[in-house]
Amino acid sequence: MPAIDLVEISSMRDFLALAAVRVQPSQRRFTKHPLLTYLQSRHPAVTTFCVQRERQQVGYVMLIHAENPTQWIIERLTIDRESQGAGLGYAVADQLIDMVHGFENSEMVIARYHPDNGAARALFAKLNFVERDEMFRGRHIALLEFEFEEDAEEQPKDADIAAETG
């Protein structure tokens, strides 16, 4: 998997630099203007990351903390057309999933994408997201639910149970 860095961005200047990310003509209708992304990122539940490879900007992505506090949304995963096909979208989504998995009480990652965006659909299917028939604000959603394994060290011992009940 290619090495990438996700660098949180917040200044308007950094968002305007996102305009340098160019997508294939067939993908243009799935992308939003960087100014709109900047305005939406002003919400405290939204974090936007610049995707960098070898310190060069190659894309961006939004991570949104959903209204349900156990859920996170990946949106606007955009990779520059010159860098597409190298596994960067997969690397970005995988890194975000790992990040969210480390958050306390996180149970689910939701991917939102335009209903006609076959590349997004294929990417998230490859990451084991399960697409739902429902839509949210005109976009398909796909879900990845975390299944946490019980850690033997965290399970209460008989002595602990006896102390609590005794």
Side-chain angles (χ1 to χ4, degrees):
M1 191 169 350
I4 53 110
D5 293 306
L6 298 179
V7 180
E8 185 176 340
I9 58 176
S10 59
S11 75
M12 186 157 183
R13 178 180 171 195
D14 291 338
F15 279 94
L16 292 176
L18 297 179
V21 174
R22 300 282 186 230
V23 296
Q24 300 292 344
S26 62
Q27 296 171 324
R28 286 187 187 138
R29 65 189 176 123
F30 306 133
T31 61
K32 303 285 186 199
H33 191 278
L35 184 56
L36 180 60
T37 301
Y38 169 74
L39 293 172
Q40 291 174 330
S41 290
R42 306 290 294 159
H43 191 283
V46 179
T47 304
T48 301
F49 296 95
C50 174
V51 178
Q52 293 183 350
R53 182 176 190 188
E54 299 175 0
R55 297 188 178 209
Q56 297 296 315
Q57 176 180 292
V58 294
Y60 58 94
V61 64
M62 292 173 75
L63 183 63
I64 304 166
H65 197 185
E67 290 178 18
N68 179 330
T70 66
Q71 299 175 352
W72 295 82
I73 302 167
I74 297 174
E75 189 170 290
R76 296 203 188 141
L77 175 49
T78 306
I79 302 297
D80 188 83
R81 66 181 170 208
E82 300 300 320
S83 298
Q84 289 181 2
L88 297 177
Y90 186 96
V92 169
D94 188 59
Q95 189 169 332
L96 287 173
I97 291 165
D98 285 347
M99 181 188 302
V100 169
H101 194 262
F103 295 159
E104 189 174 334
N105 298 320
S106 61
E107 295 176 1
M108 181 183 298
V109 177
I110 300 167
R112 283 198 313 213
Y113 45 86
H114 191 280
D116 297 331
N117 192 337
R121 176 177 282 127
L123 169 67
F124 290 110
K126 189 175 180 181
L127 286 157
N128 297 319
F129 280 70
V130 176
E131 188 170 286
R132 297 281 178 99
D133 287 334
E134 61 195 274
M135 295 180 70
F136 180 79
R137 294 185 181 168
R139 295 186 197 103
H140 276 289
I141 62 170
L143 309 175
L144 178 65
E145 295 187 58
F146 298 132
E147 293 181 17
F148 293 100
E149 295 179 14
E150 296 278 336
D151 188 3
E153 294 177 15
E154 293 181 14
Q155 292 188 11
K157 297 178 177 115
D158 291 338
D160 294 336
I161 294 171
E164 290 176 12
T165 59

